[in-house]
Amino acid sequence: MRTIVELFIRWSHLVAGMIWFSGIFFSAIIATPILTRNLSPVKSLQLISGIRDRLRTVVRITVHVLLTTGAMNIFIVGLNTKMEFSRNYIVIFVVKMTFVALMTLFHGLHISIFSRKLEATISNLNPDDSILLPPIIKLQKQVHLFAILTILSGLVVLVLSLSLR
């Protein structure tokens, strides 16, 4: 029974990580370029904002699941190894947690700060406008930058996770 519970916790952690990562990836790498290429700038930003708003709820849940199951995984590994960790494991784990913190920071800046500022700015615009104001363009670039940084740090976390044995 213990093995099944451990596998379920690890599976939940991996699925939550994939959902978080794929939500950011879809929003920044797939939806944004397609919408900006095919629609007016204001209309595309409004649709992207709607996508991010819908993803925000899912991402909040997955982040909580990740934190909870991640803490449980630490205890599972500790119990299974009788708290005897190799020096290499500890170094990789600390580096991984550093990138998890960076990923969380970048994601927070992407969703909470810049996306909300961008959403508030574009909500008052006419969807038929074809020109974006410089402050909106700047916010859009910042949002995209933090999405890319979240994705890159997430990839590093994934690679480090695979090297933890």
Side-chain angles (χ1 to χ4, degrees):
M1 180 70 167
R2 178 179 167 186
T3 305
I4 293 172
V5 171
E6 289 177 10
L7 288 174
F8 178 76
I9 291 169
R10 288 181 178 170
W11 178 83
S12 300
H13 190 74
L14 289 173
V15 169
M18 287 187 294
I19 291 170
W20 182 19
F21 185 81
S22 62
I24 298 294
F25 184 84
F26 173 78
S27 170
I29 304 299
I30 297 172
T32 299
I34 290 172
L35 291 174
T36 54
R37 194 172 335 144
N38 296 313
L39 298 173
S40 72
V42 174
K43 183 66 176 170
S44 67
L45 279 177
Q46 289 174 337
L47 289 173
I48 293 165
S49 175
I51 290 169
R52 287 186 181 138
D53 190 45
R54 287 179 186 94
L55 285 173
R56 189 176 301 143
T57 305
V58 173
V59 168
R60 275 192 190 133
I61 293 168
T62 59
V63 168
H64 285 82
V65 170
L66 281 167
L67 291 172
T68 304
T69 56
M72 290 174 166
N73 281 329
I74 292 170
F75 289 110
I76 289 170
V77 170
L79 289 173
N80 289 341
T81 61
K82 297 177 182 149
M83 297 299 186
E84 295 175 12
F85 301 106
S86 69
R87 181 181 208 102
N88 187 42
Y89 183 90
I90 292 172
V91 169
I92 293 172
F93 181 76
V94 169
V95 172
K96 176 190 169 193
M97 289 296 104
T98 302
F99 276 96
V100 167
L102 285 172
M103 184 177 171
T104 305
L105 172 68
F106 296 145
H107 174 74
L109 290 170
H110 169 253
I111 293 290
S112 299
I113 298 170
F114 295 115
S115 280
R116 289 197 182 175
K117 284 183 184 177
L118 186 60
E119 287 173 8
T121 306
I122 64 171
S123 65
N124 300 328
L125 297 175
N126 182 1
D128 297 326
D129 288 345
S130 61
I131 298 173
L132 292 176
L133 301 172
I136 295 174
I137 293 170
K138 181 180 177 185
L139 279 174
Q140 184 183 15
K141 287 180 181 179
Q142 289 174 335
V143 168
H144 191 69
L145 170 69
F146 284 111
I148 297 299
L149 290 173
T150 302
I151 291 168
L152 291 175
S153 56
L155 289 173
V156 172
V157 168
L158 176 65
V159 169
L160 290 170
S161 296
L162 292 174
S163 64
L164 284 174
R165 302 260 174 205

